Amino acid sequence: MIELPVSPILAAVPMPLVLIGRDERVISANPSAAQLFGTAAEGWHYITILRQPVLLDCVEAALKTGERREARYLTRDGERDVTYNVVAAPAGQGVLLSLEDISHVQAAGEMRRDFVANVSHELRTPLTALIGFIETLQGPAKKDFEAQARFLGIMEREAGRMSRLIEDLLSLSRVESQERVRPTQKVDVASLVTSASMTLGPQAADADVTLKVVGAEEPVEVLGDSDQLLQVFTNLMENGIKYGDGLVTVEIVPQERDPMLRGPAVRIEVSDDGEGIDALHIPRLTERFYRIDSHRSREMGGTGLGLAIVKHIVNRHRGRFRIESQKGQGSRFIVVLPA
């Protein structure tokens, strides 16, 4: 059996590792540990290297008892908070301290809890309304036909809201499951934009909004998923109709080279002349269930998932999605796809 020196073995492990002898001096530390603690550690007393009480207590207990000790270590790496799972385990005549970055696990858990809480809240409101109206129709309004007609109309709206929410959740789930698989079929963006505008024509007319399409006279091809891109353009145009003030313009602009995508691209801009969006909201608009005006959004049938779906679809197509707006000057939603 070939024995390797300690240092190369530790260096091959990506997580920070520090080997501490019984004399409480550092025998070896890998590059990840040196980067984390900001110093070369070999030969130094572990107290001068680790410094943080939680790490010192963990190592001290393991050295004294010869038993494994675990703890959590919180620090900051640049602009992000990092949580490490710390393990001090007996190793020969000393202790091996390892630090595993579990920030992504905590973030995923927090995201899952927030998601469940948001979905529960979004479903609870219409369900509560439906249950209340059903009880009323079975009791006080049992023979009040005028009230029945009014309540049934409200119940239909609430049921439709739940149906849209479930459809958007399923759509988001499908998009996320395919996000790493890049589409390979050629699709005509101009045809999809035209199709979306025709589908939304009656809705625009009811809202007294003019839907104007520019640049769709000639085919403009990209590699993409036609159903998903149609959903992107439909979502963005529908937002424009809901929050615009009379005019929604969709412009298709082929680009010889996009500096971010480093190649030819197609830019699709959906602009409205509405009241605009405050700059502080723009970075969060693609978060799930984030709304600027929750009551108004729900009244208009919004689920709070539309722009999140758009972002994930554009990411799957290796494109870019950007929102530009100023208060009182309308909004512009820009999708850039590699051509």
Side-chain angles (χ1 to χ4, degrees):
M1 182 177 178
I2 300 174
E3 291 189 6
L4 293 174
V6 172
S7 294
I9 295 175
L10 298 191
V13 180
M15 71 172 64
L17 296 176
V18 181
L19 182 61
I20 301 165
R22 296 298 303 177
D23 61 356
E24 300 186 351
R25 293 189 176 275
V26 176
I27 298 172
S28 183
N30 67 357
S32 296
Q35 183 178 5
L36 176 61
F37 300 118
T39 181
E42 283 84 351
W44 291 72
H45 196 285
Y46 76 87
I47 291 178
T48 63
I49 303 302
L50 304 180
R51 297 182 182 177
Q52 301 299 325
V54 65
L55 301 179
L56 298 177
D57 292 345
C58 202
V59 172
E60 184 180 4
L63 284 170
K64 281 184 178 180
T65 64
E67 297 176 355
R68 176 191 175 102
R69 288 288 185 270
E70 289 193 32
R72 290 286 169 88
Y73 171 52
L74 308 179
T75 185
R76 192 164 181 82
D77 181 11
E79 295 184 355
R80 80 182 181 108
D81 293 324
V82 183
T83 303
Y84 287 101
N85 188 47
V86 180
V87 177
Q93 295 301 309
V95 165
L96 180 65
L97 181 71
S98 64
L99 296 97
E100 181 186 7
D101 185 351
I102 58 170
S103 304
H104 63 288
V105 177
Q106 289 192 317
E110 187 176 341
M111 187 183 300
R112 184 167 55 250
R113 287 190 295 273
D114 288 346
F115 183 71
V116 170
N118 281 320
V119 171
S120 301
H121 174 73
E122 294 292 333
L123 286 173
R124 187 183 294 115
T125 305
L127 273 174
T128 302
L130 285 172
I131 292 169
F133 285 128
I134 289 170
E135 290 175 351
T136 303
L137 290 172
Q138 289 175 334
K142 193 172 185 178
K143 296 183 180 180
D144 187 340
F145 298 108
E146 185 178 337
Q148 286 180 12
R150 186 170 72 256
F151 291 161
L152 287 171
I154 298 172
M155 291 169 68
E156 183 182 21
R157 274 202 313 276
E158 295 296 334
R161 180 176 152 194
M162 283 197 298
S163 177
R164 286 191 299 274
L165 176 61
I166 292 168
E167 286 174 8
D168 279 355
L169 286 170
L170 291 173
S171 178
L172 185 59
S173 176
R174 284 193 297 269
V175 171
E176 286 183 328
S177 68
Q178 300 172 343
E179 195 163 359
R180 296 183 183 276
V181 182
R182 189 170 184 175
T184 56
Q185 293 184 337
K186 286 186 177 181
V187 296
D188 179 11
V189 170
S191 174
L192 293 177
V193 168
T194 302
S195 176
S197 66
M198 291 177 65
T199 301
L200 293 172
Q203 184 177 335
D206 290 342
D208 199 22
V209 171
T210 300
L211 198 53
K212 181 182 178 183
V213 177
V214 179
E217 298 79 17
E218 299 291 334
V220 181
E221 290 189 336
V222 300
L223 293 178
D225 182 313
S226 57
D227 290 337
Q228 289 188 353
L229 289 179
L230 181 62
Q231 186 174 12
V232 166
F233 305 141
T234 302
N235 283 2
L236 294 180
M237 289 185 208
E238 195 169 23
N239 273 356
I241 293 169
K242 288 177 181 176
Y243 301 107
D245 195 29
L247 177 64
V248 175
T249 303
V250 186
E251 186 174 5
I252 303 170
V253 183
Q255 296 176 303
E256 290 186 5
R257 180 176 176 80
D258 180 84
M260 296 294 290
L261 301 182
R262 299 180 181 178
V266 179
R267 189 173 77 248
I268 304 96
E269 298 183 4
V270 181
S271 308
D272 65 61
D273 58 349
E275 63 186 34
I277 303 166
D278 196 304
L280 80 95
H281 295 294
I282 291 177
R284 299 193 60 190
L285 285 178
T286 55
E287 293 180 14
R288 300 171 186 180
F289 299 109
Y290 185 82
R291 295 182 174 97
I292 298 171
D293 184 341
S294 298
H295 179 72
R296 183 182 177 190
S297 175
R298 291 191 181 98
E299 285 295 312
M300 292 184 170
T303 62
L305 294 171
L307 292 180
I309 292 171
V310 168
K311 182 189 73 172
H312 282 289
I313 292 176
V314 173
N315 286 346
R316 186 198 171 198
H317 286 73
R318 308 301 189 266
R320 294 189 295 121
F321 179 51
R322 192 167 76 249
I323 303 170
E324 296 178 353
S325 182
Q326 288 187 5
K327 203 69 175 160
Q329 298 184 26
S331 305
R332 184 164 59 153
F333 297 83
I334 302 167
V335 174
V336 183
L337 302 171

